[in-house]
Amino acid sequence: MCDTIFQNPIYMIVPSMNCQASCRYCFGPNVGQTMTLEDAHKTIQYIKWLSETTEQQTIQIALHGGEPLCAGYTVIKALIEGLATAFSGKNLKLSIQSNLWLLNDAYCELFKAHGVTVGTSLDGPKAICDVQRGEGYFEQTMHGIQKLKEAGIKHGVIATFTKQSLYEWETVRSFFQMHQMPFDCHGAVASPVDARESAWHLSPEEYGQLFIGIIDDYQIKANEMKLPVIDRLCRGIYQGENALCTFRHCFGMFLIIDPRGDLYPCQRFIGHPTAKLGNIVDAPNVKTLVSSRAGAQFLERQKAIDENCDICTHLTYCRGGCAFNAMTNGNFLARDYLCEAYRSIFDHLHDMMTCELVSDANINAILSAGPSLEGNPFFREGTYLKSAKGKHPCINSG
């Protein structure tokens, strides 16, 4: 297993830990260091060197934060142009996750010139979003989204649900549909510095309730919208392995580089010494990353989960949930504190897929067209059956 770790990671560069927003449920601080030009160049060279040692053919690199644009145009330009030069001739995929408050024409030109896809966060209409993310957030991010549209830059949106918006799912979905805005959804989860009784973070019961409601709504609205998180959950059940980092042994899936050049296996662990893998100054190779104290800890957790969850029917596409959430609950080696929520979500999806499998529509499709030649031969008609096979029925799936 160790031989495959960090063989094809998604590199995540954090140019700045600063962020102007004051999202109520954020798991990290919104103040911190910013990457220098010198460190930006060192970061590029380290990624180039490490990817060459593993002979990566596709290089995926995301700029994240904090708020990455807080690093300033000079640093962002140096990173994007430097990466484009370093990986010229390679299949390079660049993206950035930003609140878009600092987006201007110069950034748009830079992103468009290098095919940078953009992700942002918006929790729905102003009345919901500004309560959760701070007054003025909605207007400034919507202004940025409009600039992206005018520039023809591909973008997506993540909406986070909290205790405050738990019952506003249909309002949020209607907002994004009205604006023809592709979006995905997250549930607000606790961080180590927060009390579990937070006014914002979802309890396991609330988390399960939210996503089961979304799943039921999705079956009705699937021809009008696409929710990647639900599609991936379906594919996880279908394939026996989940693509979502929350539900797999994620160690080695990402390699995070913070403004100081410190390396972490996940962006949520930045600043936690026990999760630090090393620093780019020392040019750690894959073996060094895996054999670090933090690496050994992650491997130990994987082993503990496989042993402790071996009787669970969802083990192969859940893997005990998120390691960060487990740490939040005080035991890194244990299951995610949202375990019961995940179990209810997977049980519900499994039941929905089974109902579609024996439905008249699916049986008639099998009788008229014959068994499918791709994957499970009896997955023909149904929202979740199609999602499981990567053939979402949404007419705008584009």
Side-chain angles (χ1 to χ4, degrees), residues 30-241:
N30 58 0
V31 293
Q33 294 194 355
T34 293
M35 188 173 281
T36 65
L37 270 175
E38 181 183 2
D39 286 334
H41 293 308
K42 288 179 180 178
T43 295
I44 293 167
Q45 292 308 308
Y46 176 70
I47 293 175
K48 185 174 189 294
W49 171 76
L50 189 66
S51 65
E52 287 175 348
T53 66
T54 56
E55 300 181 342
Q56 276 183 266
Q57 298 305 306
T58 297
I59 315 296
Q60 297 183 69
I61 302 174
L63 305 188
H64 214 290
E67 166 51 49
L69 298 189
C70 281
Y73 181 77
T74 302
V75 170
I76 298 300
K77 183 173 184 285
L79 283 168
I80 290 175
E81 291 186 345
L83 290 166
T85 299
F87 294 102
S88 178
K90 294 278 190 178
N91 183 19
L92 175 65
K93 297 181 179 180
L94 289 173
S95 63
I96 187 169
Q97 184 70 23
S98 167
N99 61 31
L100 307 179
W101 293 13
L102 298 174
L103 187 73
N104 56 29
D105 291 340
Y107 280 122
C108 287
E109 290 173 10
L110 179 67
F111 297 161
K112 195 163 185 179
H114 296 283
V116 180
T117 57
V118 181
T120 191
S121 297
L122 193 72
D123 293 348
K126 178 179 172 62
I128 293 174
C129 187
D130 280 7
V131 167
Q132 300 188 166
R133 290 185 173 268
E135 188 65 32
Y137 185 101
F138 176 85
E139 184 176 344
Q140 294 192 75
T141 297
M142 283 294 286
H143 178 72
I145 289 172
Q146 184 58 38
K147 288 193 74 68
L148 291 175
K149 288 181 177 179
E150 292 170 357
I153 296 172
K154 185 178 179 181
H155 65 281
V157 179
I158 294 173
T160 299
F161 289 85
T162 70
K163 285 183 186 293
Q164 310 300 314
S165 59
L166 175 61
Y167 301 105
E168 301 287 346
W169 159 246
E170 292 187 36
T171 301
V172 173
R173 183 252 295 148
S174 297
F175 167 81
F176 286 115
Q177 282 186 286
M178 178 179 68
H179 288 276
Q180 297 183 321
M181 206 181 296
F183 79 107
D184 212 343
C185 50
H186 287 180
V189 295
S191 70
V193 297
D194 292 310
R196 288 285 299 280
E197 295 75 27
S198 165
W200 304 99
H201 305 132
L202 299 175
S203 68
E205 182 180 3
E206 290 166 336
Y207 195 98
Q209 177 185 351
L210 169 68
F211 276 89
I212 287 173
I214 290 173
I215 288 166
D216 290 344
D217 180 83
Y218 198 38
Q219 188 175 42
I220 301 168
K221 296 288 185 179
N223 288 326
E224 304 171 20
M225 59 187 289
K226 184 174 182 178
L227 283 175
V229 66
I230 304 301
D231 292 343
R232 288 171 182 167
L233 290 176
C234 290
R235 284 201 292 276
I237 294 173
Y238 173 57
Q239 297 173 347
E241 182 180 22

Side-chain angles (χ1 to χ4, degrees), residues 347-359 362 379 384-385:
D347 282 346
H348 192 70
L349 262 180
H350 190 276
D351 290 346
M352 300 286 276
M353 292 169 69
T354 300
C355 286
E356 287 185 346
L357 190 63
V358 298
S359 69
N362 190 58
F379 276 36
Y384 302 111
L385 299 188

Side-chain angles (χ1 to χ4, degrees), residues 2-21:
C2 294
D3 293 339
T4 62
I5 297 175
F6 289 115
Q7 293 304 301
N8 194 34
I10 297 171
Y11 299 95
M12 192 176 290
I13 302 172
V14 180
S16 177
M17 291 301 297
N18 294 318
C19 182
Q20 327 91 312

Side-chain angles (χ1 to χ4, degrees), residues 204 309 312 318 320 335-346:
C309 298
C312 179
C318 176
R335 294 187 292 270
D336 186 329
Y337 74 87
L338 293 170
C339 172
E340 289 306 314
Y342 300 151
R343 188 191 305 273
S344 65
I345 292 166
F346 285 125

